[in-house]
Amino acid sequence: GAGVSQSPSNKVTEKGKDVELRCDPISGHTALYWYRQSLGQGLEFLIYFQGNSAPDKSGLPSDRFSAERTGGSVSTLTIQRTQQEDSAVYLCASSLMGDDTQYFGPGTRLTVL
Amino acid sequence: AQSVSQHNHHVILSEAASLELGCNYSYGGTVNLFWYVQYPGQHLQLLLKYFSGDPLVKGIKGFEAEFIKSKFSFNLRKPSVQWSDTAEYFCAPWRTDKLIFGTGTRLQVFP
């Protein structure tokens, strides 16, 4: 079956612009996660959606970052007024309720010039 | 602060050498533990996981990991590595509904 998909695969933007990154989770997966992978920093948790519950936003680095999940499926991560330190690979993962195993997408490589 | 530590940042081995990658975490109580792997150009994928029971866990491709509660460790091992094991390996305890990833260990295996 189809895995987690993310778009775009690469995004180059200028400092100060807003960007939107999209994640399509595996069908039927109720949990969706966003992570950021920076050089030398490992994977950093950003935000977590579980069903209709309020999202866990504890990992968002600043108020320039936001995410939403529409209809319990597709999610969009928005970064406003991008900065050069936002350059990273943004990974999305999904999982079934009650299953801790997460399935990762290919990521979006964001470069802020 | 709660954290996970992977001591080896970059490991270089020849084929057939034995591998052990260290992982220590600082969480108390019950903890579920994962190792994920990212092969060059591929997605992160699950290598193995520990929830309870036998502390020696076997995963894909001949990998295993041992949970030692008294040492807060979950080291990854493989008796004989192959060139195809070249990848980045991440240890990740599961806490409060999310994975807390270590900084990763880059493994290079030369033929």
Side-chain angles (χ1 to χ4, degrees):
Chain A
V4 177
S5 61
Q6 292 185 247
S7 61
S9 54
N10 277 285
K11 177 72 177 178
V12 180
T13 190
E14 294 178 348
K15 179 180 171 181
K17 302 279 190 183
D18 297 352
V19 295
E20 286 190 351
L21 312 179
R22 177 187 168 107
C23 172
D24 281 89
I26 293 172
S27 178
H29 280 195
T30 56
L32 187 148
Y33 305 79
W34 283 98
Y35 296 88
R36 178 167 70 174
Q37 187 174 21
S38 307
L39 195 62
Q41 298 291 322
L43 281 98
E44 174 188 12
F45 165 78
L46 297 177
I47 188 169
Y48 156 58
F49 296 90
Q50 174 61 276
N52 295 322
S53 302
D56 177 350
K57 303 179 183 180
S58 60
L60 294 178
S62 78
D63 58 8
R64 297 186 294 105
F65 287 72
S66 63
E68 61 178 22
R69 189 177 184 192
T70 53
S73 181
V74 172
S75 177
T76 302
L77 177 70
T78 301
I79 309 173
Q80 295 178 310
R81 306 180 302 281
T82 52
Q83 304 294 311
Q84 288 182 330
E85 61 262 28
D86 299 333
S87 295
V89 176
Y90 289 82
L91 293 170
C92 176
S94 69
S95 67
L96 284 167
M97 179 176 281
D99 182 357
D100 295 344
T101 301
Q102 295 181 19
Y103 298 85
F104 283 82
T108 294
R109 181 175 296 279
L110 174 66
T111 303
V112 182
L113 301 176
Chain B
Q2 296 177 332
S3 68
V4 54
S5 176
Q6 292 185 243
H7 316 295
N8 319 101
H9 297 293
H10 190 188
V11 173
I12 301 173
L13 295 173
S14 298
E15 277 193 318
S18 64
L19 171 72
E20 181 160 3
L21 302 182
C23 172
N24 285 88
Y25 61 93
S26 60
Y27 307 97
T30 302
V31 59
N32 298 334
L33 296 155
F34 295 73
W35 276 95
Y36 276 81
V37 60
Q38 188 169 29
Y39 297 103
Q42 296 188 27
H43 307 185
L44 266 168
Q45 58 186 280
L46 181 68
L47 196 58
L48 50 79
K49 60 184 178 182
Y50 170 79
F51 281 10
S52 63
D54 188 344
L56 186 62
V57 179
K58 301 218 182 276
I60 61 171
K61 302 187 179 184
F63 284 90
E64 64 180 30
E66 186 175 13
F67 169 56
I68 303 179
K69 188 174 181 179
S70 61
K71 295 184 178 180
F72 295 88
S73 71
F74 190 55
N75 292 355
L76 182 71
R77 300 195 294 247
K78 185 170 183 178
S80 176
V81 295
Q82 300 173 309
W83 175 79
S84 58
D85 293 326
T86 294
E88 191 150 16
Y89 294 80
F90 295 91
C91 179
W94 173 268
R95 293 292 290 181
T96 56
D97 297 328
K98 54 186 173 278
L99 292 170
I100 309 299
F101 283 91
T103 52
T105 297
R106 184 178 173 214
L107 172 66
Q108 281 185 288
V109 180
F110 289 97

Short mmCIF file of all heavy atoms in Angstrom, two decimals, chain A residues 33 35 37 42-43 45 48 56 58 91 99-102 104-106, chain B residues 32 34 36 38 43-44 46 49 51 90 94 97-99 101-103:
data_model
loop_
_atom_site.label_atom_id
_atom_site.label_comp_id
_atom_site.label_asym_id
_atom_site.label_seq_id
_atom_site.Cartn_x
_atom_site.Cartn_y
_atom_site.Cartn_z
N TYR A 33 2.77 13.06 12.89
CA TYR A 33 3.87 13.76 13.56
C TYR A 33 4.68 14.55 12.54
O TYR A 33 4.86 14.10 11.41
CB TYR A 33 4.82 12.76 14.22
CG TYR A 33 4.18 11.79 15.18
CD1 TYR A 33 3.50 10.67 14.72
CD2 TYR A 33 4.28 11.98 16.55
CE1 TYR A 33 2.91 9.78 15.60
CE2 TYR A 33 3.71 11.09 17.45
CZ TYR A 33 3.01 9.99 16.96
OH TYR A 33 2.44 9.11 17.83
N TYR A 35 8.59 16.26 12.29
CA TYR A 35 9.92 16.36 12.86
C TYR A 35 10.77 17.23 11.94
O TYR A 35 10.48 17.37 10.75
CB TYR A 35 10.60 14.98 12.97
CG TYR A 35 9.94 14.01 13.90
CD1 TYR A 35 8.92 13.17 13.46
CD2 TYR A 35 10.34 13.90 15.23
CE1 TYR A 35 8.31 12.27 14.32
CE2 TYR A 35 9.75 13.00 16.10
CZ TYR A 35 8.74 12.18 15.63
OH TYR A 35 8.14 11.27 16.47
N GLN A 37 14.87 17.65 10.77
CA GLN A 37 16.19 17.02 10.80
C GLN A 37 17.21 18.02 10.28
O GLN A 37 17.23 18.33 9.09
CB GLN A 37 16.20 15.74 9.95
CG GLN A 37 17.49 14.94 10.05
CD GLN A 37 17.40 13.61 9.30
OE1 GLN A 37 16.56 13.44 8.41
NE2 GLN A 37 18.24 12.66 9.65
N GLY A 42 20.25 15.87 14.69
CA GLY A 42 19.35 14.73 14.80
C GLY A 42 17.94 15.12 14.41
O GLY A 42 17.73 16.08 13.69
N LEU A 43 16.98 14.37 14.90
CA LEU A 43 15.58 14.64 14.60
C LEU A 43 14.93 15.33 15.79
O LEU A 43 14.96 14.83 16.90
CB LEU A 43 14.83 13.35 14.29
CG LEU A 43 15.04 12.81 12.90
CD1 LEU A 43 16.07 11.72 12.92
CD2 LEU A 43 13.75 12.29 12.33
N PHE A 45 11.46 16.78 17.42
CA PHE A 45 10.00 16.73 17.38
C PHE A 45 9.43 18.13 17.27
O PHE A 45 9.88 19.05 17.96
CB PHE A 45 9.49 16.05 18.65
CG PHE A 45 8.02 16.24 18.90
CD1 PHE A 45 7.09 15.49 18.20
CD2 PHE A 45 7.57 17.19 19.81
CE1 PHE A 45 5.73 15.67 18.43
CE2 PHE A 45 6.22 17.36 20.04
CZ PHE A 45 5.30 16.61 19.35
N TYR A 48 2.41 17.04 17.08
CA TYR A 48 1.78 15.72 17.02
C TYR A 48 0.27 15.89 17.03
O TYR A 48 -0.27 16.62 17.87
CB TYR A 48 2.27 14.91 18.22
CG TYR A 48 1.40 13.78 18.70
CD1 TYR A 48 1.04 12.74 17.85
CD2 TYR A 48 0.99 13.72 20.03
CE1 TYR A 48 0.28 11.68 18.32
CE2 TYR A 48 0.23 12.67 20.49
CZ TYR A 48 -0.13 11.65 19.65
OH TYR A 48 -0.88 10.60 20.11
N ASP A 56 -0.38 18.31 20.16
CA ASP A 56 0.75 18.58 21.05
C ASP A 56 1.74 19.44 20.28
O ASP A 56 2.45 18.95 19.41
CB ASP A 56 1.39 17.26 21.48
CG ASP A 56 2.62 17.43 22.36
OD1 ASP A 56 3.13 18.57 22.50
OD2 ASP A 56 3.11 16.42 22.88
N SER A 58 4.25 21.15 21.60
CA SER A 58 5.34 21.49 22.51
C SER A 58 6.70 21.60 21.84
O SER A 58 7.62 22.21 22.39
CB SER A 58 5.42 20.45 23.64
OG SER A 58 5.65 19.16 23.11
N LEU A 91 10.33 16.19 8.25
CA LEU A 91 9.82 14.83 8.10
C LEU A 91 8.45 14.71 8.74
O LEU A 91 8.18 15.28 9.79
CB LEU A 91 10.76 13.84 8.78
CG LEU A 91 12.14 13.67 8.15
CD1 LEU A 91 13.04 12.86 9.06
CD2 LEU A 91 12.03 13.00 6.80
N ASP A 99 -0.58 1.99 18.33
CA ASP A 99 0.67 1.41 17.82
C ASP A 99 1.74 2.48 17.87
O ASP A 99 1.61 3.53 17.23
CB ASP A 99 0.46 0.92 16.38
CG ASP A 99 1.70 0.25 15.81
OD1 ASP A 99 2.75 0.21 16.49
OD2 ASP A 99 1.62 -0.23 14.66
N ASP A 100 2.84 2.21 18.58
CA ASP A 100 3.89 3.21 18.71
C ASP A 100 4.79 3.28 17.50
O ASP A 100 5.62 4.18 17.40
CB ASP A 100 4.75 2.91 19.94
CG ASP A 100 3.95 3.02 21.23
OD1 ASP A 100 2.87 3.61 21.19
OD2 ASP A 100 4.42 2.51 22.26
N THR A 101 4.68 2.35 16.58
CA THR A 101 5.56 2.36 15.41
C THR A 101 5.14 3.45 14.45
O THR A 101 4.00 3.50 14.01
CB THR A 101 5.53 1.00 14.70
OG1 THR A 101 5.93 -0.01 15.60
CG2 THR A 101 6.46 1.02 13.49
N GLN A 102 6.07 4.32 14.11
CA GLN A 102 5.80 5.41 13.19
C GLN A 102 6.38 5.10 11.82
O GLN A 102 7.47 4.55 11.71
CB GLN A 102 6.40 6.71 13.72
CG GLN A 102 5.74 7.15 15.02
CD GLN A 102 6.30 8.46 15.55
OE1 GLN A 102 6.92 9.22 14.82
NE2 GLN A 102 6.07 8.71 16.82
N PHE A 104 7.59 6.81 8.32
CA PHE A 104 8.07 8.12 7.90
C PHE A 104 7.92 8.34 6.41
O PHE A 104 8.04 7.42 5.61
CB PHE A 104 9.54 8.30 8.29
CG PHE A 104 9.72 8.60 9.75
CD1 PHE A 104 9.72 7.57 10.68
CD2 PHE A 104 9.89 9.90 10.19
CE1 PHE A 104 9.88 7.84 12.04
CE2 PHE A 104 10.05 10.18 11.54
CZ PHE A 104 10.05 9.16 12.46
N GLY A 105 7.70 9.60 6.05
CA GLY A 105 7.73 10.01 4.66
C GLY A 105 9.15 10.35 4.23
O GLY A 105 10.08 10.28 5.02
N PRO A 106 9.32 10.72 2.96
CA PRO A 106 10.64 11.00 2.42
C PRO A 106 11.20 12.35 2.85
O PRO A 106 12.39 12.61 2.68
CB PRO A 106 10.42 10.98 0.91
CG PRO A 106 8.99 11.35 0.74
CD PRO A 106 8.27 10.81 1.93
N ASN B 32 9.45 2.65 26.37
CA ASN B 32 9.54 1.86 25.15
C ASN B 32 10.69 2.42 24.32
O ASN B 32 10.88 3.64 24.25
CB ASN B 32 8.24 1.94 24.36
CG ASN B 32 7.06 1.37 25.13
OD1 ASN B 32 7.24 0.52 26.01
ND2 ASN B 32 5.87 1.83 24.83
N PHE B 34 13.18 2.31 20.71
CA PHE B 34 13.22 2.04 19.28
C PHE B 34 14.61 2.33 18.72
O PHE B 34 15.33 3.20 19.22
CB PHE B 34 12.23 2.94 18.53
CG PHE B 34 10.78 2.71 18.86
CD1 PHE B 34 10.25 3.11 20.07
CD2 PHE B 34 9.95 2.11 17.93
CE1 PHE B 34 8.91 2.90 20.36
CE2 PHE B 34 8.60 1.90 18.21
CZ PHE B 34 8.09 2.30 19.43
N TYR B 36 15.75 3.26 14.77
CA TYR B 36 15.37 3.51 13.39
C TYR B 36 16.64 3.62 12.55
O TYR B 36 17.70 4.01 13.06
CB TYR B 36 14.57 4.81 13.27
CG TYR B 36 13.09 4.66 13.54
CD1 TYR B 36 12.60 4.65 14.84
CD2 TYR B 36 12.18 4.54 12.49
CE1 TYR B 36 11.24 4.52 15.10
CE2 TYR B 36 10.82 4.40 12.73
CZ TYR B 36 10.36 4.39 14.04
OH TYR B 36 9.02 4.25 14.29
N GLN B 38 18.20 4.95 8.61
CA GLN B 38 17.98 5.70 7.38
C GLN B 38 19.10 5.37 6.42
O GLN B 38 20.24 5.83 6.57
CB GLN B 38 17.94 7.20 7.66
CG GLN B 38 17.51 8.04 6.48
CD GLN B 38 17.24 9.49 6.87
OE1 GLN B 38 17.82 10.02 7.81
NE2 GLN B 38 16.33 10.13 6.15
N HIS B 43 13.79 6.52 3.17
CA HIS B 43 13.06 7.01 4.34
C HIS B 43 13.64 6.39 5.61
O HIS B 43 14.25 5.32 5.59
CB HIS B 43 11.59 6.57 4.29
CG HIS B 43 10.88 6.91 3.04
ND1 HIS B 43 9.54 6.67 2.87
CD2 HIS B 43 11.29 7.46 1.88
CE1 HIS B 43 9.17 7.07 1.68
NE2 HIS B 43 10.20 7.54 1.06
N LEU B 44 13.38 7.05 6.71
CA LEU B 44 13.60 6.42 8.01
C LEU B 44 12.70 5.20 8.12
O LEU B 44 11.52 5.25 7.77
CB LEU B 44 13.20 7.38 9.13
CG LEU B 44 14.29 8.24 9.75
CD1 LEU B 44 13.65 9.31 10.61
CD2 LEU B 44 15.24 7.39 10.56
N LEU B 46 11.83 1.50 10.66
CA LEU B 46 12.02 0.84 11.94
C LEU B 46 12.99 -0.33 11.80
O LEU B 46 12.85 -1.15 10.91
CB LEU B 46 10.67 0.33 12.46
CG LEU B 46 10.70 -0.37 13.80
CD1 LEU B 46 11.05 0.61 14.92
CD2 LEU B 46 9.35 -1.03 14.08
N LYS B 49 12.33 -2.76 18.05
CA LYS B 49 11.75 -2.03 19.16
C LYS B 49 11.61 -2.94 20.38
O LYS B 49 11.50 -4.16 20.24
CB LYS B 49 10.37 -1.46 18.79
CG LYS B 49 9.34 -2.50 18.39
CD LYS B 49 8.04 -1.83 17.95
CE LYS B 49 7.02 -2.87 17.51
NZ LYS B 49 5.75 -2.22 17.02
N PHE B 51 9.35 -3.26 23.98
CA PHE B 51 8.25 -2.77 24.81
C PHE B 51 8.30 -3.41 26.20
O PHE B 51 8.14 -2.74 27.20
CB PHE B 51 6.90 -3.08 24.16
CG PHE B 51 6.51 -2.15 23.05
CD1 PHE B 51 7.41 -1.23 22.53
CD2 PHE B 51 5.25 -2.18 22.51
CE1 PHE B 51 7.07 -0.37 21.51
CE2 PHE B 51 4.89 -1.31 21.48
CZ PHE B 51 5.79 -0.42 20.98
N PHE B 90 19.38 5.73 14.41
CA PHE B 90 18.84 6.61 15.45
C PHE B 90 18.20 5.79 16.55
O PHE B 90 17.34 4.94 16.29
CB PHE B 90 17.77 7.55 14.86
CG PHE B 90 18.29 8.53 13.86
CD1 PHE B 90 18.32 8.21 12.51
CD2 PHE B 90 18.75 9.77 14.26
CE1 PHE B 90 18.81 9.12 11.57
CE2 PHE B 90 19.23 10.68 13.34
CZ PHE B 90 19.25 10.35 11.99
N TRP B 94 10.41 6.22 23.55
CA TRP B 94 9.04 6.71 23.35
C TRP B 94 8.58 7.31 24.66
O TRP B 94 8.56 6.64 25.68
CB TRP B 94 8.15 5.54 22.96
CG TRP B 94 6.69 5.86 22.88
CD1 TRP B 94 5.76 5.75 23.86
CD2 TRP B 94 6.00 6.33 21.73
NE1 TRP B 94 4.53 6.12 23.40
CE2 TRP B 94 4.64 6.48 22.09
CE3 TRP B 94 6.39 6.65 20.42
CZ2 TRP B 94 3.68 6.93 21.20
CZ3 TRP B 94 5.43 7.08 19.53
CH2 TRP B 94 4.09 7.23 19.92
N ASP B 97 3.72 9.98 24.20
CA ASP B 97 3.12 9.90 22.87
C ASP B 97 4.02 10.35 21.74
O ASP B 97 3.52 10.64 20.65
CB ASP B 97 1.81 10.68 22.81
CG ASP B 97 0.76 10.12 23.74
OD1 ASP B 97 0.77 8.89 23.96
OD2 ASP B 97 -0.06 10.89 24.26
N LYS B 98 5.33 10.45 21.96
CA LYS B 98 6.20 10.80 20.84
C LYS B 98 7.57 10.18 21.01
O LYS B 98 7.97 9.79 22.10
CB LYS B 98 6.32 12.31 20.68
CG LYS B 98 6.76 13.06 21.93
CD LYS B 98 6.69 14.54 21.69
CE LYS B 98 6.94 15.33 22.96
NZ LYS B 98 5.73 15.43 23.79
N LEU B 99 8.28 10.07 19.89
CA LEU B 99 9.64 9.57 19.90
C LEU B 99 10.60 10.72 20.18
O LEU B 99 10.46 11.79 19.62
CB LEU B 99 9.98 8.94 18.55
CG LEU B 99 9.26 7.64 18.19
CD1 LEU B 99 9.51 7.29 16.74
CD2 LEU B 99 9.72 6.51 19.10
N PHE B 101 14.31 11.43 19.61
CA PHE B 101 15.43 10.88 18.86
C PHE B 101 16.77 11.36 19.38
O PHE B 101 16.93 12.51 19.79
CB PHE B 101 15.33 11.27 17.38
CG PHE B 101 14.32 10.49 16.61
CD1 PHE B 101 13.02 10.93 16.50
CD2 PHE B 101 14.67 9.29 15.99
CE1 PHE B 101 12.08 10.21 15.79
CE2 PHE B 101 13.74 8.56 15.28
CZ PHE B 101 12.44 9.02 15.17
N GLY B 102 17.75 10.44 19.32
CA GLY B 102 19.12 10.83 19.54
C GLY B 102 19.66 11.53 18.30
O GLY B 102 18.96 11.63 17.28
N THR B 103 20.90 12.00 18.37
CA THR B 103 21.49 12.74 17.26
C THR B 103 21.92 11.83 16.12
O THR B 103 22.28 12.32 15.06
CB THR B 103 22.69 13.57 17.73
OG1 THR B 103 23.58 12.72 18.43
CG2 THR B 103 22.25 14.71 18.63
#
